[in-house]
Amino acid sequence: MAFAKDFLWGAASASAQVEGGWNEGGRTPSIWDALIDGHIKYNDTPAVACDTYHHAKDDAALMGEIGLRSYRFSISWSRVIPAEGKVNPTGIAYYSNLVDELLKNGVTPMITLYHWDLPMWVYRKGGWLSEEISDLFADYAKTVAEALGDRVGYWLTFNEPQVFVGAGYNRGTHAPFLQVGKVGIETVTRNILLAHGKAAAAIRQYAAKTPKVGFAPSARCYTPTEDTPDAIAEAKRLTFEGSITHTGNIWWESPIVRGEALDEQKHFLSEDDLKVIHQPLDFFGVNVYQSRNYLAKGEDTAQRRAKWGQPRTQMGWAITPEVLYWLPKFYYERYGLQILITENGLANCDVISLDGAVHDPQRIDFMTRYLAHLKMAVDEGVPVIGYQYWSLMDNFEWDKGYAMRFGMIYTDYANGCRRVPKDSARFYSEIIRTNGENLPTLPLNW
Ligand code: GAL
């Protein structure tokens, strides 16, 4: 088996990380505009970011030139609904135009409704701690589905609940920088799960074109340490281990995908809640960067390996291409849903060289290894429908500001956010053109 002919080779981004135009066209601030003072490296802010707010046409054309078949982007809730009960036509027009430009260039749009930029007006009502939020989110989903659902076929409700809850509500390192404790985490969890269910239903009800609906969890995966059935079984067990914390996969997946509450969720999720939360999904989205075996800190397990000189990206994340083989297999076996890789990529110390180009052999090497492993899973018959490289262009990396460059396009912030496609963008074009057929056959990395 090879990659399907219509495999969705693409790239991803998120509104707060790329858009800028934070107070333009009727948009009101999000928690990533209003609450970040003193929390971001070098005091960076997302006020301008990559200025995609003013570059929709050129960016879509560039994606067309690279040959991308899909682009996963998120909607800024406060651009569309800047205040309670108010829809902003200028905000809708911005996204509608972006969708048209993408389609004109042969790029399939994929929309994420929530990639962390909670409107301040919702936050002031209590944000994810408020019981009202799931209905507000469903209204927002309806508005977007009505406006764009005639042309957009792929929808993701949430990006990485694990991360925005873990970092934003437990550790306090991401906006809104809270530490709400166990009961608070349970409240936030229930509200997010209900919001997911209500939004998924609203998308199906109001999108004119039959939608494909999923979400994009930060999909953890342990990988086997040796080629034995026991090691493989152990990696799978750890991958789906139950956990009373929000970081466990199944904390979110059991209610969303299976309609089941974990034992430790039963006191705050009712059967009626589960009916709302458990909506049919068309695919299982996964954001994945590394095997969990190599976490620098945190869970200590027999699977964990400390390797001298383990190659890591600038984020400190272990380069473990085998995760793109095991993860789709494990998740497909468990949930029986087609897999969409919604994020994967690396941050690298990229510079514009004296010749004016951005040479990033590390990224090309990373893509080659990871995609070669993904191909092994596809060759074995695992139904993977697409791969969205993170990210289309260098952008605002949350608490790390602009210090991390993940893009296949270099963003020259000092010069009007000029876009400079890196060598890896040309490399990716070739992968897309040949539909991954020229990827090398590598031995499975253990
Ligand atoms: C993900 C997140 C993205 C991006 C990426 C790289 O967790 O969804 O927004 O920041 O990591 O760190």
Side-chain angles (χ1 to χ4, degrees):
M1 276 248 245
F3 289 106
K5 282 206 165 40
D6 56 356
F7 188 81
L8 291 160
W9 297 104
S13 76
S15 44
Q17 296 180 272
V18 299
E19 263 180 30
W22 75 284
N23 59 359
E24 290 180 59
R27 183 185 183 277
T28 55
S30 85
I31 56 173
W32 278 98
D33 302 306
L35 303 179
I36 59 177
D37 272 4
H39 290 285
I40 313 293
K41 196 157 186 179
Y42 307 127
N43 288 326
D44 286 339
T45 84
V48 177
C50 309
D51 200 24
T52 59
Y53 186 62
H54 295 113
H55 286 81
K57 198 176 161 68
D58 299 347
D59 286 340
L62 189 50
M63 287 183 241
E65 270 167 46
I66 294 172
L68 297 191
R69 295 184 189 164
S70 54
Y71 177 47
R72 172 182 172 227
F73 62 97
S74 80
I75 307 274
S76 153
W77 184 352
S78 64
R79 192 179 290 294
V80 171
I81 308 198
E84 187 159 10
K86 193 176 150 203
V87 175
N88 175 22
T90 314
I92 300 263
Y94 165 67
Y95 293 112
S96 185
N97 175 51
L98 173 60
V99 165
D100 286 342
E101 292 297 331
L102 290 171
L103 293 171
K104 222 186 277 173
N105 285 283
V107 183
T108 299
M110 279 180 194
I111 285 183
T112 312
L113 286 176
Y114 189 81
H115 204 127
W116 308 353
D117 42 357
L118 183 72
M120 274 307 286
W121 69 264
V122 185
Y123 181 67
R124 288 204 179 85
K125 295 172 75 83
W128 291 110
L129 286 159
S130 157
E131 288 224 339
E132 267 184 79
I133 195 169
S134 60
D135 286 329
L136 295 171
F137 191 70
D139 278 351
Y140 158 58
K142 170 178 187 263
T143 305
V144 179
E146 279 178 342
L148 308 177
D150 55 337
R151 288 154 289 158
V152 174
Y154 287 86
W155 298 83
L156 300 140
T157 55
F158 280 93
N159 182 70
E160 298 186 348
Q162 295 84 349
V163 177
F164 79 83
V165 172
Y169 289 82
N170 191 32
R171 292 191 300 283
T173 54
H174 275 193
F177 308 101
L178 300 178
Q179 295 183 312
V180 298
K182 183 169 183 287
V183 176
I185 295 293
E186 291 170 353
T187 305
V188 164
T189 297
R190 175 169 181 267
N191 291 329
I192 293 169
L193 290 171
L194 289 170
H196 161 83
K198 293 178 187 181
I203 295 164
R204 288 204 199 278
Q205 188 175 349
Y206 297 105
K209 174 172 164 171
T210 306
K212 290 194 187 298
V213 183
F215 74 124
S218 163
R220 73 190 219 153
C221 181
Y222 286 87
T223 49
T225 46
E226 53 184 33
D227 190 3
T228 62
D230 282 357
I232 295 171
E234 175 63 359
K236 208 187 294 184
R237 188 189 68 74
L238 287 167
T239 295
F240 298 109
E241 200 178 30
S243 163
I244 56 161
T245 73
H246 50 278
T247 58
N249 284 357
I250 61 174
W251 182 259
W252 306 95
E253 290 154 19
S254 285
I256 289 179
V257 189
R258 293 185 152 174
E260 291 164 9
L262 303 180
D263 283 346
E264 56 271 60
Q265 293 176 318
K266 287 192 175 137
H267 67 281
F268 68 90
L269 287 183
S270 70
E271 283 303 315
D272 284 347
D273 289 345
L274 289 166
K275 279 189 204 123
V276 175
I277 295 164
H278 180 46
Q279 297 294 321
L281 297 182
D282 298 288
F283 58 84
F284 193 89
V286 293
N287 289 359
V288 54
Y289 291 85
Q290 60 177 333
S291 155
R292 305 251 326 170
N293 301 29
Y294 298 85
L295 290 188
K297 56 182 180 212
E299 300 126 272
D300 215 349
T301 80
Q303 284 315 85
R304 191 166 151 199
R305 293 189 292 185
K307 262 197 198 167
W308 268 6
Q310 167 63 35
R312 290 182 186 271
T313 73
Q314 220 189 351
M315 293 288 278
W317 297 348
I319 298 180
T320 53
E322 64 273 23
V323 77
L324 271 195
Y325 169 75
W326 293 108
L327 184 146
K329 262 171 89 83
F330 286 174
Y331 279 72
Y332 176 61
E333 276 168 24
R334 184 176 175 94
Y335 296 125
L337 289 169
Q338 296 183 321
I339 304 293
L340 174 64
I341 311 293
T342 37
E343 284 183 27
N344 172 248
L346 90 162
N348 191 44
C349 178
D350 300 318
V351 296
I352 301 184
S353 296
L354 286 174
D355 64 2
V358 180
H359 305 296
D360 56 344
Q362 293 88 343
R363 187 169 287 100
I364 292 175
D365 188 72
F366 178 100
M367 283 178 159
T368 308
R369 291 176 196 270
Y370 273 69
L371 289 173
H373 278 79
L374 183 64
K375 186 164 185 290
M376 288 182 216
V378 169
D379 285 343
E380 284 184 21
V382 179
V384 184
I385 59 171
Y387 172 88
Q388 313 307 306
Y389 176 77
W390 183 273
S391 176
L392 177 68
M393 62 183 84
D394 302 332
N395 59 46
F396 176 75
E397 177 56 28
W398 309 113
D399 55 328
K400 300 188 177 53
Y402 297 97
M404 295 291 162
R405 290 184 179 272
F406 273 92
M408 69 173 74
I409 298 170
Y410 185 94
T411 308
D412 187 3
Y413 299 109
N415 289 298
C417 293
R418 183 170 65 104
R419 285 39 168 152
V420 185
K422 301 178 188 177
D423 288 355
S424 57
R426 278 177 276 279
F427 172 80
Y428 195 44
S429 292
E430 209 35 37
I431 299 239
I432 299 172
R433 197 183 61 75
T434 53
N435 209 31
E437 267 162 37
N438 296 350
L439 283 164
T441 304
L442 301 178
L444 180 57
N445 199 50
W446 290 90

